[in-house]
Amino acid sequence: MNSQHLHLALTTPLEELLTIPQGVQLAHNVREGLEGITPEQAVAILRAINGMIESALQTERDASGDELITRDENRDVEWLMQALADENHLIPAGQPHIPNHIYFLVLAAFKLGGVVEQRLSYKTTHFPASAVATLLEAQEAWSYAELLPSAQPVTAAIETAWRRGLTPDSLGSDDIKKLQSKQAKRAADSRHHSNRIAKQRALELYFATNHSTIDAAAASIASQVFRAPGTVRNWIFAARRARGMNGE
């Protein structure tokens, strides 16, 4: 994961993002959500996200017994969701507890930065399908961040409650972690449902049309179901194997 993408999303002047659909609003949202987090901390969190994704990938391989599963099987936002649902958190050394929504905000910024780099480097009116997919993933990551609570630390919650003259909740850190885990699992279930729909549509398109190769089919269909070409390619291969079909 290129930390330069994160830097671009957080520092590029908003007026330079006008050519990116919803780019200005998305950049404003992630910057506001990450206020108080230093650039160095954001990079460290991005590295932690990468580690969580790799861990989720290995968990998937172990569970399925298939070492051939690649990271392209899912988008990064989906692997991250799975890691959080499995309570697999990586927290950079020296940093306090990181609420789940911060992981998604950093990922959203990273994905947006990839689109920013593409737009600033080439400066063309053409907006390729890969950039559209990345931008949609950034928006999805930000949406997950909005759905998850900020998880105020227990001590701060108690202090706030006393200031308001209220009896503090009896929730301890373990209770909060359980609540976060339930919320992550619900979001993961939603993600699985979305994936099933995308997979079904992708396979319908593949078997209903002719393509020169599986790679060509995956590249064409990916933009229609808003998934990475590698993900669609794996779906096609699995479906062909299930039907006893071989080759390209």
Side-chain angles (χ1 to χ4, degrees), residues 13-165:
L14 295 180
E15 60 269 22
E16 294 186 26
L17 306 181
L18 292 173
T19 59
I20 299 175
Q22 300 298 314
V24 172
Q25 186 63 55
L26 184 56
H28 170 76
N29 290 341
V30 296
R31 292 175 189 183
E32 186 177 56
L34 294 173
E35 186 175 1
I37 292 179
T38 67
E40 293 76 16
Q41 288 174 325
V43 170
I45 294 171
L46 181 64
R47 290 173 181 157
I49 290 171
N50 190 60
M52 291 163 67
I53 290 173
E54 290 296 325
S55 180
L57 171 58
Q58 189 57 52
T59 298
E60 185 74 13
R61 288 171 176 164
D62 293 341
S64 65
D66 186 357
E67 285 296 321
L68 297 180
I69 295 176
T70 67
R71 186 159 167 168
D72 286 341
E73 181 74 21
N74 292 312
R75 297 171 299 164
D76 286 343
V77 68
E78 293 161 344
W79 286 121
L80 177 59
M81 179 65 71
Q82 190 61 54
L84 293 174
D86 292 339
E87 299 185 51
N88 178 20
H89 296 73
L90 291 181
I91 300 176
Q95 293 198 35
H97 167 71
I98 299 174
N100 288 350
H101 79 287
I102 294 296
Y103 291 109
F104 285 109
L105 284 173
V106 171
L107 182 61
F110 167 72
K111 292 296 178 179
L112 174 61
V115 179
V116 173
E117 181 185 57
Q118 192 264 353
R119 300 302 289 167
L120 294 183
S121 298
Y122 299 103
K123 295 183 179 179
T124 66
T125 56
H126 176 59
F127 206 82
S130 60
V132 173
T134 301
L135 185 59
L136 287 171
E137 188 176 356
Q139 292 172 331
E140 185 174 341
W142 175 78
S143 296
Y144 281 135
E146 284 291 284
L147 291 172
L148 294 170
S150 60
Q152 186 181 30
V154 176
T155 53
I158 292 175
E159 182 180 343
T160 300
W162 280 122
R163 282 202 307 268
R164 295 177 179 176

